[in-house]
PDB file of all heavy atoms in Angstrom:
ATOM      1  N   SER A   1       7.900   9.498  11.237  1.00 84.00           N
ATOM      2  CA  SER A   1       7.941  10.901  11.654  1.00 84.00           C
ATOM      3  C   SER A   1       6.551  11.449  11.980  1.00 84.00           C
ATOM      4  O   SER A   1       6.422  12.442  12.705  1.00 84.00           O
ATOM      5  CB  SER A   1       8.584  11.773  10.570  1.00 84.00           C
ATOM      6  OG  SER A   1       7.865  11.665   9.352  1.00 84.00           O
ATOM      7  N   ASN A   2       5.501  10.792  11.476  1.00 89.00           N
ATOM      8  CA  ASN A   2       4.135  11.219  11.789  1.00 89.00           C
ATOM      9  C   ASN A   2       3.854  11.173  13.289  1.00 89.00           C
ATOM     10  O   ASN A   2       2.964  11.862  13.781  1.00 89.00           O
ATOM     11  CB  ASN A   2       3.106  10.333  11.077  1.00 89.00           C
ATOM     12  CG  ASN A   2       3.156  10.403   9.562  1.00 89.00           C
ATOM     13  OD1 ASN A   2       2.511   9.629   8.894  1.00 89.00           O
ATOM     14  ND2 ASN A   2       3.938  11.314   9.011  1.00 89.00           N
ATOM     15  N   PHE A   3       4.619  10.347  13.992  1.00 94.00           N
ATOM     16  CA  PHE A   3       4.376  10.128  15.416  1.00 94.00           C
ATOM     17  C   PHE A   3       5.455  10.753  16.296  1.00 94.00           C
ATOM     18  O   PHE A   3       5.594  10.371  17.463  1.00 94.00           O
ATOM     19  CB  PHE A   3       4.294   8.624  15.694  1.00 94.00           C
ATOM     20  CG  PHE A   3       3.135   7.933  15.027  1.00 94.00           C
ATOM     21  CD1 PHE A   3       3.312   7.258  13.834  1.00 94.00           C
ATOM     22  CD2 PHE A   3       1.866   7.964  15.586  1.00 94.00           C
ATOM     23  CE1 PHE A   3       2.245   6.619  13.211  1.00 94.00           C
ATOM     24  CE2 PHE A   3       0.803   7.341  14.976  1.00 94.00           C
ATOM     25  CZ  PHE A   3       0.984   6.663  13.780  1.00 94.00           C
ATOM     26  N   SER A   4       6.201  11.695  15.776  1.00 94.00           N
ATOM     27  CA  SER A   4       7.331  12.249  16.526  1.00 94.00           C
ATOM     28  C   SER A   4       6.885  12.888  17.841  1.00 94.00           C
ATOM     29  O   SER A   4       7.505  12.675  18.894  1.00 94.00           O
ATOM     30  CB  SER A   4       8.109  13.257  15.670  1.00 94.00           C
ATOM     31  OG  SER A   4       7.263  14.282  15.201  1.00 94.00           O
ATOM     32  N   ASP A   5       5.789  13.663  17.818  1.00 96.00           N
ATOM     33  CA  ASP A   5       5.308  14.293  19.051  1.00 96.00           C
ATOM     34  C   ASP A   5       4.793  13.250  20.042  1.00 96.00           C
ATOM     35  O   ASP A   5       5.016  13.364  21.249  1.00 96.00           O
ATOM     36  CB  ASP A   5       4.209  15.312  18.737  1.00 96.00           C
ATOM     37  CG  ASP A   5       4.749  16.557  18.050  1.00 96.00           C
ATOM     38  OD1 ASP A   5       5.430  17.345  18.723  1.00 96.00           O
ATOM     39  OD2 ASP A   5       4.491  16.739  16.853  1.00 96.00           O
ATOM     40  N   LEU A   6       4.117  12.247  19.526  1.00 97.00           N
ATOM     41  CA  LEU A   6       3.601  11.181  20.378  1.00 97.00           C
ATOM     42  C   LEU A   6       4.746  10.412  21.035  1.00 97.00           C
ATOM     43  O   LEU A   6       4.711  10.135  22.238  1.00 97.00           O
ATOM     44  CB  LEU A   6       2.719  10.238  19.551  1.00 97.00           C
ATOM     45  CG  LEU A   6       2.059   9.075  20.292  1.00 97.00           C
ATOM     46  CD1 LEU A   6       0.719   8.741  19.654  1.00 97.00           C
ATOM     47  CD2 LEU A   6       2.939   7.824  20.297  1.00 97.00           C
ATOM     48  N   ILE A   7       5.745  10.056  20.248  1.00 97.00           N
ATOM     49  CA  ILE A   7       6.890   9.311  20.792  1.00 97.00           C
ATOM     50  C   ILE A   7       7.573  10.104  21.892  1.00 97.00           C
ATOM     51  O   ILE A   7       7.868   9.583  22.981  1.00 97.00           O
ATOM     52  CB  ILE A   7       7.889   8.955  19.677  1.00 97.00           C
ATOM     53  CG1 ILE A   7       7.254   7.976  18.683  1.00 97.00           C
ATOM     54  CG2 ILE A   7       9.166   8.350  20.270  1.00 97.00           C
ATOM     55  CD1 ILE A   7       8.064   7.754  17.421  1.00 97.00           C
ATOM     56  N   GLU A   8       7.810  11.376  21.628  1.00 96.00           N
ATOM     57  CA  GLU A   8       8.494  12.216  22.605  1.00 96.00           C
ATOM     58  C   GLU A   8       7.676  12.345  23.892  1.00 96.00           C
ATOM     59  O   GLU A   8       8.234  12.334  24.997  1.00 96.00           O
ATOM     60  CB  GLU A   8       8.771  13.599  22.017  1.00 96.00           C
ATOM     61  CG  GLU A   8       9.573  14.517  22.927  1.00 96.00           C
ATOM     62  CD  GLU A   8      10.920  13.944  23.325  1.00 96.00           C
ATOM     63  OE1 GLU A   8      11.524  13.188  22.529  1.00 96.00           O
ATOM     64  OE2 GLU A   8      11.368  14.232  24.449  1.00 96.00           O
ATOM     65  N   HIS A   9       6.358  12.418  23.757  1.00 97.00           N
ATOM     66  CA  HIS A   9       5.491  12.600  24.925  1.00 97.00           C
ATOM     67  C   HIS A   9       5.396  11.328  25.764  1.00 97.00           C
ATOM     68  O   HIS A   9       5.449  11.388  27.004  1.00 97.00           O
ATOM     69  CB  HIS A   9       4.095  13.025  24.472  1.00 97.00           C
ATOM     70  CG  HIS A   9       3.145  13.297  25.595  1.00 97.00           C
ATOM     71  ND1 HIS A   9       3.049  14.527  26.213  1.00 97.00           N
ATOM     72  CD2 HIS A   9       2.240  12.495  26.233  1.00 97.00           C
ATOM     73  CE1 HIS A   9       2.139  14.478  27.169  1.00 97.00           C
ATOM     74  NE2 HIS A   9       1.629  13.253  27.202  1.00 97.00           N
ATOM     75  N   PHE A  10       5.249  10.171  25.102  1.00 98.00           N
ATOM     76  CA  PHE A  10       4.920   8.947  25.825  1.00 98.00           C
ATOM     77  C   PHE A  10       6.122   8.074  26.170  1.00 98.00           C
ATOM     78  O   PHE A  10       5.976   7.129  26.960  1.00 98.00           O
ATOM     79  CB  PHE A  10       3.888   8.128  25.034  1.00 98.00           C
ATOM     80  CG  PHE A  10       2.497   8.704  25.096  1.00 98.00           C
ATOM     81  CD1 PHE A  10       2.027   9.514  24.077  1.00 98.00           C
ATOM     82  CD2 PHE A  10       1.679   8.458  26.185  1.00 98.00           C
ATOM     83  CE1 PHE A  10       0.749  10.058  24.139  1.00 98.00           C
ATOM     84  CE2 PHE A  10       0.404   8.991  26.255  1.00 98.00           C
ATOM     85  CZ  PHE A  10      -0.068   9.797  25.227  1.00 98.00           C
ATOM     86  N   ARG A  11       7.282   8.356  25.623  1.00 96.00           N
ATOM     87  CA  ARG A  11       8.439   7.484  25.874  1.00 96.00           C
ATOM     88  C   ARG A  11       8.912   7.551  27.329  1.00 96.00           C
ATOM     89  O   ARG A  11       9.684   6.695  27.767  1.00 96.00           O
ATOM     90  CB  ARG A  11       9.597   7.850  24.935  1.00 96.00           C
ATOM     91  CG  ARG A  11      10.246   9.198  25.200  1.00 96.00           C
ATOM     92  CD  ARG A  11      11.285   9.510  24.130  1.00 96.00           C
ATOM     93  NE  ARG A  11      11.929  10.799  24.348  1.00 96.00           N
ATOM     94  CZ  ARG A  11      13.048  10.969  25.056  1.00 96.00           C
ATOM     95  NH1 ARG A  11      13.633   9.926  25.620  1.00 96.00           N
ATOM     96  NH2 ARG A  11      13.569  12.167  25.217  1.00 96.00           N
ATOM     97  N   HIS A  12       8.443   8.536  28.085  1.00 95.00           N
ATOM     98  CA  HIS A  12       8.834   8.660  29.488  1.00 95.00           C
ATOM     99  C   HIS A  12       8.013   7.744  30.402  1.00 95.00           C
ATOM    100  O   HIS A  12       8.398   7.512  31.543  1.00 95.00           O
ATOM    101  CB  HIS A  12       8.693  10.115  29.947  1.00 95.00           C
ATOM    102  CG  HIS A  12       9.475  11.081  29.107  1.00 95.00           C
ATOM    103  ND1 HIS A  12      10.851  11.145  29.132  1.00 95.00           N
ATOM    104  CD2 HIS A  12       9.077  11.999  28.184  1.00 95.00           C
ATOM    105  CE1 HIS A  12      11.266  12.075  28.290  1.00 95.00           C
ATOM    106  NE2 HIS A  12      10.213  12.609  27.693  1.00 95.00           N
ATOM    107  N   LYS A  13       6.888   7.226  29.879  1.00 96.00           N
ATOM    108  CA  LYS A  13       6.023   6.371  30.699  1.00 96.00           C
ATOM    109  C   LYS A  13       5.757   4.998  30.067  1.00 96.00           C
ATOM    110  O   LYS A  13       5.331   4.072  30.762  1.00 96.00           O
ATOM    111  CB  LYS A  13       4.679   7.064  30.942  1.00 96.00           C
ATOM    112  CG  LYS A  13       4.749   8.310  31.807  1.00 96.00           C
ATOM    113  CD  LYS A  13       3.357   8.866  32.052  1.00 96.00           C
ATOM    114  CE  LYS A  13       3.402  10.115  32.934  1.00 96.00           C
ATOM    115  NZ  LYS A  13       2.037  10.667  33.161  1.00 96.00           N
ATOM    116  N   TYR A  14       5.982   4.905  28.770  1.00 98.00           N
ATOM    117  CA  TYR A  14       5.686   3.671  28.051  1.00 98.00           C
ATOM    118  C   TYR A  14       6.866   3.284  27.166  1.00 98.00           C
ATOM    119  O   TYR A  14       7.741   4.098  26.883  1.00 98.00           O
ATOM    120  CB  TYR A  14       4.434   3.844  27.164  1.00 98.00           C
ATOM    121  CG  TYR A  14       3.176   4.121  27.942  1.00 98.00           C
ATOM    122  CD1 TYR A  14       2.835   5.424  28.316  1.00 98.00           C
ATOM    123  CD2 TYR A  14       2.326   3.091  28.326  1.00 98.00           C
ATOM    124  CE1 TYR A  14       1.685   5.687  29.055  1.00 98.00           C
ATOM    125  CE2 TYR A  14       1.169   3.348  29.058  1.00 98.00           C
ATOM    126  CZ  TYR A  14       0.860   4.646  29.422  1.00 98.00           C
ATOM    127  OH  TYR A  14      -0.277   4.896  30.145  1.00 98.00           O
ATOM    128  N   LYS A  15       6.849   2.034  26.731  1.00 98.00           N
ATOM    129  CA  LYS A  15       7.792   1.616  25.698  1.00 98.00           C
ATOM    130  C   LYS A  15       7.099   1.858  24.358  1.00 98.00           C
ATOM    131  O   LYS A  15       6.212   1.090  23.954  1.00 98.00           O
ATOM    132  CB  LYS A  15       8.157   0.133  25.851  1.00 98.00           C
ATOM    133  CG  LYS A  15       9.122  -0.371  24.778  1.00 98.00           C
ATOM    134  CD  LYS A  15       9.411  -1.856  24.950  1.00 98.00           C
ATOM    135  CE  LYS A  15      10.297  -2.087  26.160  1.00 98.00           C
ATOM    136  NZ  LYS A  15      10.675  -3.530  26.269  1.00 98.00           N
ATOM    137  N   VAL A  16       7.467   2.932  23.696  1.00 98.00           N
ATOM    138  CA  VAL A  16       6.825   3.286  22.432  1.00 98.00           C
ATOM    139  C   VAL A  16       7.544   2.558  21.299  1.00 98.00           C
ATOM    140  O   VAL A  16       8.760   2.702  21.124  1.00 98.00           O
ATOM    141  CB  VAL A  16       6.850   4.806  22.184  1.00 98.00           C
ATOM    142  CG1 VAL A  16       6.059   5.141  20.926  1.00 98.00           C
ATOM    143  CG2 VAL A  16       6.257   5.557  23.383  1.00 98.00           C
ATOM    144  N   VAL A  17       6.789   1.788  20.543  1.00 98.00           N
ATOM    145  CA  VAL A  17       7.341   0.956  19.476  1.00 98.00           C
ATOM    146  C   VAL A  17       6.678   1.347  18.165  1.00 98.00           C
ATOM    147  O   VAL A  17       5.449   1.389  18.070  1.00 98.00           O
ATOM    148  CB  VAL A  17       7.099  -0.543  19.756  1.00 98.00           C
ATOM    149  CG1 VAL A  17       7.763  -1.400  18.694  1.00 98.00           C
ATOM    150  CG2 VAL A  17       7.579  -0.933  21.149  1.00 98.00           C
ATOM    151  N   ALA A  18       7.490   1.643  17.167  1.00 97.00           N
ATOM    152  CA  ALA A  18       6.960   2.084  15.868  1.00 97.00           C
ATOM    153  C   ALA A  18       7.664   1.324  14.750  1.00 97.00           C
ATOM    154  O   ALA A  18       8.764   1.702  14.336  1.00 97.00           O
ATOM    155  CB  ALA A  18       7.145   3.585  15.699  1.00 97.00           C
ATOM    156  N   PRO A  19       7.064   0.233  14.256  1.00 96.00           N
ATOM    157  CA  PRO A  19       7.679  -0.485  13.145  1.00 96.00           C
ATOM    158  C   PRO A  19       7.509   0.272  11.832  1.00 96.00           C
ATOM    159  O   PRO A  19       6.500   0.937  11.608  1.00 96.00           O
ATOM    160  CB  PRO A  19       6.907  -1.808  13.114  1.00 96.00           C
ATOM    161  CG  PRO A  19       5.571  -1.480  13.700  1.00 96.00           C
ATOM    162  CD  PRO A  19       5.821  -0.398  14.721  1.00 96.00           C
ATOM    163  N   LEU A  20       8.506   0.170  10.983  1.00 95.00           N
ATOM    164  CA  LEU A  20       8.424   0.733   9.640  1.00 95.00           C
ATOM    165  C   LEU A  20       7.750  -0.310   8.760  1.00 95.00           C
ATOM    166  O   LEU A  20       8.327  -1.369   8.469  1.00 95.00           O
ATOM    167  CB  LEU A  20       9.828   1.055   9.124  1.00 95.00           C
ATOM    168  CG  LEU A  20       9.932   1.769   7.777  1.00 95.00           C
ATOM    169  CD1 LEU A  20       9.200   3.103   7.814  1.00 95.00           C
ATOM    170  CD2 LEU A  20      11.389   1.984   7.403  1.00 95.00           C
ATOM    171  N   LEU A  21       6.503  -0.045   8.384  1.00 95.00           N
ATOM    172  CA  LEU A  21       5.745  -1.032   7.607  1.00 95.00           C
ATOM    173  C   LEU A  21       6.313  -1.152   6.190  1.00 95.00           C
ATOM    174  O   LEU A  21       6.589  -0.145   5.537  1.00 95.00           O
ATOM    175  CB  LEU A  21       4.268  -0.642   7.548  1.00 95.00           C
ATOM    176  CG  LEU A  21       3.542  -0.600   8.894  1.00 95.00           C
ATOM    177  CD1 LEU A  21       2.080  -0.196   8.696  1.00 95.00           C
ATOM    178  CD2 LEU A  21       3.627  -1.933   9.624  1.00 95.00           C
ATOM    179  N   PRO A  22       6.463  -2.379   5.693  1.00 94.00           N
ATOM    180  CA  PRO A  22       7.083  -2.606   4.381  1.00 94.00           C
ATOM    181  C   PRO A  22       6.083  -2.419   3.239  1.00 94.00           C
ATOM    182  O   PRO A  22       5.784  -3.357   2.488  1.00 94.00           O
ATOM    183  CB  PRO A  22       7.553  -4.062   4.487  1.00 94.00           C
ATOM    184  CG  PRO A  22       6.511  -4.700   5.359  1.00 94.00           C
ATOM    185  CD  PRO A  22       6.100  -3.650   6.360  1.00 94.00           C
ATOM    186  N   LEU A  23       5.575  -1.198   3.091  1.00 93.00           N
ATOM    187  CA  LEU A  23       4.524  -0.940   2.104  1.00 93.00           C
ATOM    188  C   LEU A  23       4.967  -1.285   0.690  1.00 93.00           C
ATOM    189  O   LEU A  23       4.154  -1.679  -0.150  1.00 93.00           O
ATOM    190  CB  LEU A  23       4.118   0.537   2.166  1.00 93.00           C
ATOM    191  CG  LEU A  23       3.641   1.062   3.520  1.00 93.00           C
ATOM    192  CD1 LEU A  23       3.310   2.541   3.424  1.00 93.00           C
ATOM    193  CD2 LEU A  23       2.433   0.276   4.021  1.00 93.00           C
ATOM    194  N   TYR A  24       6.257  -1.129   0.412  1.00 91.00           N
ATOM    195  CA  TYR A  24       6.750  -1.313  -0.957  1.00 91.00           C
ATOM    196  C   TYR A  24       7.775  -2.442  -1.057  1.00 91.00           C
ATOM    197  O   TYR A  24       8.415  -2.618  -2.091  1.00 91.00           O
ATOM    198  CB  TYR A  24       7.359  -0.003  -1.474  1.00 91.00           C
ATOM    199  CG  TYR A  24       6.449   1.176  -1.242  1.00 91.00           C
ATOM    200  CD1 TYR A  24       6.794   2.184  -0.343  1.00 91.00           C
ATOM    201  CD2 TYR A  24       5.221   1.262  -1.884  1.00 91.00           C
ATOM    202  CE1 TYR A  24       5.934   3.252  -0.109  1.00 91.00           C
ATOM    203  CE2 TYR A  24       4.355   2.317  -1.654  1.00 91.00           C
ATOM    204  CZ  TYR A  24       4.710   3.314  -0.767  1.00 91.00           C
ATOM    205  OH  TYR A  24       3.861   4.360  -0.535  1.00 91.00           O
ATOM    206  N   ASP A  25       7.928  -3.217   0.025  1.00 91.00           N
ATOM    207  CA  ASP A  25       8.952  -4.255   0.049  1.00 91.00           C
ATOM    208  C   ASP A  25       8.396  -5.671  -0.051  1.00 91.00           C
ATOM    209  O   ASP A  25       9.133  -6.607  -0.350  1.00 91.00           O
ATOM    210  CB  ASP A  25       9.793  -4.139   1.332  1.00 91.00           C
ATOM    211  CG  ASP A  25      10.507  -2.804   1.427  1.00 91.00           C
ATOM    212  OD1 ASP A  25      10.873  -2.257   0.371  1.00 91.00           O
ATOM    213  OD2 ASP A  25      10.682  -2.300   2.550  1.00 91.00           O
ATOM    214  N   LEU A  26       7.105  -5.847   0.244  1.00 89.00           N
ATOM    215  CA  LEU A  26       6.502  -7.165   0.117  1.00 89.00           C
ATOM    216  C   LEU A  26       6.276  -7.494  -1.359  1.00 89.00           C
ATOM    217  O   LEU A  26       6.154  -6.588  -2.189  1.00 89.00           O
ATOM    218  CB  LEU A  26       5.165  -7.214   0.856  1.00 89.00           C
ATOM    219  CG  LEU A  26       5.198  -6.972   2.376  1.00 89.00           C
ATOM    220  CD1 LEU A  26       3.767  -6.919   2.920  1.00 89.00           C
ATOM    221  CD2 LEU A  26       5.998  -8.043   3.081  1.00 89.00           C
ATOM    222  N   ASP A  27       6.226  -8.795  -1.685  1.00 91.00           N
ATOM    223  CA  ASP A  27       5.873  -9.145  -3.060  1.00 91.00           C
ATOM    224  C   ASP A  27       4.430  -8.745  -3.298  1.00 91.00           C
ATOM    225  O   ASP A  27       3.650  -8.561  -2.353  1.00 91.00           O
ATOM    226  CB  ASP A  27       6.100 -10.641  -3.316  1.00 91.00           C
ATOM    227  CG  ASP A  27       5.195 -11.527  -2.462  1.00 91.00           C
ATOM    228  OD1 ASP A  27       3.978 -11.577  -2.730  1.00 91.00           O
ATOM    229  OD2 ASP A  27       5.706 -12.151  -1.510  1.00 91.00           O
ATOM    230  N   ILE A  28       4.070  -8.584  -4.545  1.00 90.00           N
ATOM    231  CA  ILE A  28       2.775  -8.008  -4.882  1.00 90.00           C
ATOM    232  C   ILE A  28       1.619  -8.852  -4.343  1.00 90.00           C
ATOM    233  O   ILE A  28       0.571  -8.319  -3.973  1.00 90.00           O
ATOM    234  CB  ILE A  28       2.634  -7.815  -6.427  1.00 90.00           C
ATOM    235  CG1 ILE A  28       1.406  -6.944  -6.753  1.00 90.00           C
ATOM    236  CG2 ILE A  28       2.586  -9.149  -7.136  1.00 90.00           C
ATOM    237  CD1 ILE A  28       1.511  -5.515  -6.273  1.00 90.00           C
ATOM    238  N   PHE A  29       1.811 -10.158  -4.236  1.00 89.00           N
ATOM    239  CA  PHE A  29       0.754 -11.050  -3.731  1.00 89.00           C
ATOM    240  C   PHE A  29       0.430 -10.728  -2.271  1.00 89.00           C
ATOM    241  O   PHE A  29      -0.720 -10.838  -1.850  1.00 89.00           O
ATOM    242  CB  PHE A  29       1.189 -12.514  -3.870  1.00 89.00           C
ATOM    243  CG  PHE A  29       0.160 -13.495  -3.387  1.00 89.00           C
ATOM    244  CD1 PHE A  29      -0.988 -13.747  -4.121  1.00 89.00           C
ATOM    245  CD2 PHE A  29       0.327 -14.161  -2.172  1.00 89.00           C
ATOM    246  CE1 PHE A  29      -1.949 -14.648  -3.672  1.00 89.00           C
ATOM    247  CE2 PHE A  29      -0.620 -15.060  -1.708  1.00 89.00           C
ATOM    248  CZ  PHE A  29      -1.758 -15.303  -2.464  1.00 89.00           C
ATOM    249  N   HIS A  30       1.450 -10.329  -1.506  1.00 91.00           N
ATOM    250  CA  HIS A  30       1.248 -10.047  -0.081  1.00 91.00           C
ATOM    251  C   HIS A  30       1.125  -8.548   0.218  1.00 91.00           C
ATOM    252  O   HIS A  30       1.066  -8.156   1.379  1.00 91.00           O
ATOM    253  CB  HIS A  30       2.401 -10.640   0.735  1.00 91.00           C
ATOM    254  CG  HIS A  30       2.425 -12.141   0.738  1.00 91.00           C
ATOM    255  ND1 HIS A  30       3.262 -12.873  -0.072  1.00 91.00           N
ATOM    256  CD2 HIS A  30       1.684 -13.031   1.441  1.00 91.00           C
ATOM    257  CE1 HIS A  30       3.052 -14.162   0.139  1.00 91.00           C
ATOM    258  NE2 HIS A  30       2.103 -14.287   1.046  1.00 91.00           N
ATOM    259  N   THR A  31       1.087  -7.726  -0.824  1.00 93.00           N
ATOM    260  CA  THR A  31       0.942  -6.282  -0.620  1.00 93.00           C
ATOM    261  C   THR A  31      -0.536  -5.958  -0.438  1.00 93.00           C
ATOM    262  O   THR A  31      -1.212  -5.416  -1.308  1.00 93.00           O
ATOM    263  CB  THR A  31       1.555  -5.508  -1.807  1.00 93.00           C
ATOM    264  OG1 THR A  31       2.926  -5.908  -1.958  1.00 93.00           O
ATOM    265  CG2 THR A  31       1.535  -4.002  -1.544  1.00 93.00           C
ATOM    266  N   THR A  32      -1.036  -6.356   0.732  1.00 95.00           N
ATOM    267  CA  THR A  32      -2.438  -6.188   1.106  1.00 95.00           C
ATOM    268  C   THR A  32      -2.490  -5.846   2.595  1.00 95.00           C
ATOM    269  O   THR A  32      -1.491  -5.978   3.309  1.00 95.00           O
ATOM    270  CB  THR A  32      -3.236  -7.484   0.874  1.00 95.00           C
ATOM    271  OG1 THR A  32      -2.669  -8.513   1.716  1.00 95.00           O
ATOM    272  CG2 THR A  32      -3.152  -7.942  -0.588  1.00 95.00           C
ATOM    273  N   VAL A  33      -3.657  -5.438   3.068  1.00 96.00           N
ATOM    274  CA  VAL A  33      -3.784  -5.173   4.504  1.00 96.00           C
ATOM    275  C   VAL A  33      -3.591  -6.463   5.300  1.00 96.00           C
ATOM    276  O   VAL A  33      -3.018  -6.446   6.401  1.00 96.00           O
ATOM    277  CB  VAL A  33      -5.132  -4.510   4.857  1.00 96.00           C
ATOM    278  CG1 VAL A  33      -5.150  -3.058   4.433  1.00 96.00           C
ATOM    279  CG2 VAL A  33      -6.307  -5.269   4.272  1.00 96.00           C
ATOM    280  N   VAL A  34      -4.011  -7.591   4.750  1.00 96.00           N
ATOM    281  CA  VAL A  34      -3.808  -8.879   5.423  1.00 96.00           C
ATOM    282  C   VAL A  34      -2.322  -9.214   5.475  1.00 96.00           C
ATOM    283  O   VAL A  34      -1.809  -9.669   6.508  1.00 96.00           O
ATOM    284  CB  VAL A  34      -4.597  -9.997   4.712  1.00 96.00           C
ATOM    285  CG1 VAL A  34      -4.241 -11.363   5.293  1.00 96.00           C
ATOM    286  CG2 VAL A  34      -6.103  -9.750   4.840  1.00 96.00           C
ATOM    287  N   GLY A  35      -1.609  -8.956   4.375  1.00 96.00           N
ATOM    288  CA  GLY A  35      -0.165  -9.193   4.347  1.00 96.00           C
ATOM    289  C   GLY A  35       0.562  -8.336   5.369  1.00 96.00           C
ATOM    290  O   GLY A  35       1.492  -8.804   6.050  1.00 96.00           O
ATOM    291  N   LEU A  36       0.154  -7.076   5.501  1.00 97.00           N
ATOM    292  CA  LEU A  36       0.774  -6.191   6.488  1.00 97.00           C
ATOM    293  C   LEU A  36       0.441  -6.636   7.910  1.00 97.00           C
ATOM    294  O   LEU A  36       1.291  -6.543   8.810  1.00 97.00           O
ATOM    295  CB  LEU A  36       0.311  -4.751   6.273  1.00 97.00           C
ATOM    296  CG  LEU A  36       0.862  -4.045   5.027  1.00 97.00           C
ATOM    297  CD1 LEU A  36       0.232  -2.663   4.891  1.00 97.00           C
ATOM    298  CD2 LEU A  36       2.382  -3.920   5.085  1.00 97.00           C
TER     299      LEU A  36
END
């Protein structure tokens, strides 16, 4: 939702893609910026 205005603005000219990052779904070993 942080990008709602951006998505609405740019979806007419670009393919706007916004993955939901698994901040709390990875195992603790991979819960790092490298894991993401």
Side-chain angles (χ1 to χ4, degrees):
S1 59
N2 296 171
F3 296 98
S4 56
D5 289 289
L6 182 148
I7 294 170
E8 184 58 31
H9 183 87
F10 285 97
R11 69 185 180 91
H12 304 289
K13 293 183 179 179
Y14 297 86
K15 179 182 288 185
V16 185
V17 184
L20 185 59
L21 297 180
L23 303 179
Y24 311 113
D25 299 328
L26 298 174
D27 64 72
I28 192 66
F29 181 74
H30 292 100
T31 304
T32 62
V33 286
V34 172
L36 289 176

